[in-house]
Amino acid sequence: MSEAAPNPADTYSVTAEFYDFMATPYWAQVDPLLPALLAEVDTMAGPLLDIGAGTGLSTVAIADALPEAEIVAVEPSAAMRAVLMSRLAARKDLRERITVESTGFFDAQLPNSCAAVVGLGVLGHFDAAARSRLWSRIVGILVDAGTAVIEVQQPYQVVAIPARRYTRAAAGRLRYEGWSEAIPIDDRSLTWRMSYYTLRDEIRIAEHVTEHRVWPVTPDAVVAEAASVGLVAEPSTGTGLLRFTKKSNHR
Ligand SMILES: C[S@@+](CC[C@H](N)C(=O)[O-])C[C@H]1O[C@@H](n2cnc3c(N)ncnc32)[C@H](O)[C@@H]1O
């Protein structure tokens, strides 16, 4: 039995409370794309893996796109996982076929054969060395002709991006705003400083701030990295969502 200790480096512990509200505009774009991206997946060949499942928005989108599929959701943040578990508690059809692994990807106990691997909003958390391990692990668990759908997030280079409000939402008498600011750390990584404001009558009454470190990478570099392990990219949809197919007999 492994001991589940809280992770003090979990920058998503602040994000979790606001994540779904703030991600709604983004998910309105991604949700309709997933069924086509997963259309070739043979759900009889094994489960799908959702790397960095977060609060479960991606997991449920996969589950709804493929109602027969078994899914393994890997999510290390206890706070994000709490929302995911709440989603499962609310829907029997989901908890019958979704397993939640509560570690980071490299520590997770994964199925030997997966029909598909999905990673939305998570690739940036891996630096170049970790991405190399990630591709090897993905290709190692994918069945032949299996699908990988990986999101490459902007910015594709290390740049400073001034603070901007990227979304707003309301619940009852309160309003919420999500602000983001990119702050370069070095020539390979930056910090996304995320500020979540709560407003009553247009006055800020609470501010929650967290910082996520990311290692930007271009879609072209991702395509090349994946190709080196036998994952062949399909023409990009221009959305940052890349689909790969594992070449036969490549392990
Ligand atoms: C921006 S959220 C994306 C959540 C979800 N996939 C979505 O699209 O809404 C990124 C998630 O990746 C998780 N994460 C970060 N590092 C990870 C790792 N090494 N292995 C697995 N998940 C990781 C974070 O805890 C966070 O919940």
Side-chain angles (χ1 to χ4, degrees):
M1 190 169 72
S2 67
E3 197 174 321
N7 176 4
D10 175 15
T11 60
Y12 279 90
S13 61
V14 173
T15 300
E17 179 180 352
F18 306 99
Y19 186 81
D20 281 20
F21 268 47
M22 300 300 148
T24 302
Y26 162 80
W27 267 97
Q29 295 173 353
V30 174
D31 226 6
L33 303 176
L34 267 188
L37 287 165
L38 299 174
E40 306 291 314
V41 176
D42 174 7
T43 56
M44 300 297 283
L48 283 85
L49 190 63
D50 185 14
I51 306 172
T55 60
L57 289 172
S58 50
T59 318
V60 173
I62 297 164
D64 287 340
L66 297 172
E68 307 301 322
E70 182 191 350
I71 299 167
V72 176
V74 178
E75 176 46 56
S77 163
M80 297 291 269
R81 244 179 12 249
V83 184
L84 166 57
M85 294 302 281
S86 178
R87 285 203 153 85
L88 301 196
R91 275 183 59 179
K92 184 168 182 291
D93 64 311
L94 294 180
R95 62 180 183 272
E96 280 175 345
R97 59 196 178 99
I98 296 175
T99 302
V100 178
E101 294 289 347
S102 59
T103 66
F105 177 69
F106 295 123
D107 297 319
Q109 189 172 328
L110 301 177
N112 292 329
S113 288
C114 290
V117 171
V118 178
L120 303 183
V122 71
L123 186 69
H125 290 306
F126 295 82
D127 65 16
R131 282 201 310 275
S132 169
R133 290 176 63 202
L134 179 80
W135 297 123
S136 298
R137 186 108 198 252
I138 287 175
V139 86
I141 56 177
L142 265 184
V143 297
D144 285 348
T147 300
V149 175
I150 304 291
E151 184 185 18
V152 187
Q153 295 165 281
Q154 301 206 35
Y156 300 146
Q157 288 91 22
V158 175
V159 286
I161 300 176
R164 68 172 186 104
R165 186 180 68 202
Y166 65 94
T167 195
R168 57 204 298 189
R173 299 183 179 196
L174 299 182
R175 283 205 305 110
Y176 301 88
E177 293 180 353
W179 289 67
S180 61
E181 176 181 6
I183 305 162
I185 296 176
D186 52 34
D187 59 352
R188 280 171 298 184
S189 67
L190 60 81
T191 285
W192 273 117
R193 175 173 292 157
M194 310 300 296
S195 304
Y196 307 104
Y197 297 112
T198 306
L199 298 90
R200 188 193 303 276
D201 301 330
E202 303 305 316
I203 295 167
R204 286 181 182 171
I205 57 170
E207 174 183 4
H208 295 82
V209 181
T210 189
E211 294 185 343
H212 307 305
R213 188 173 184 184
V214 300
W215 284 263
V217 60
T218 65
D220 285 348
V222 169
V223 167
E225 289 174 1
S228 73
V229 297
L231 292 170
V232 180
E234 286 169 31
S236 167
T237 54
T239 58
L241 292 172
L242 298 179
R243 179 165 64 175
F244 303 89
T245 304
K246 179 180 166 178
K247 276 196 267 177
S248 294
N249 300 322
H250 204 113
R251 272 192 112 78

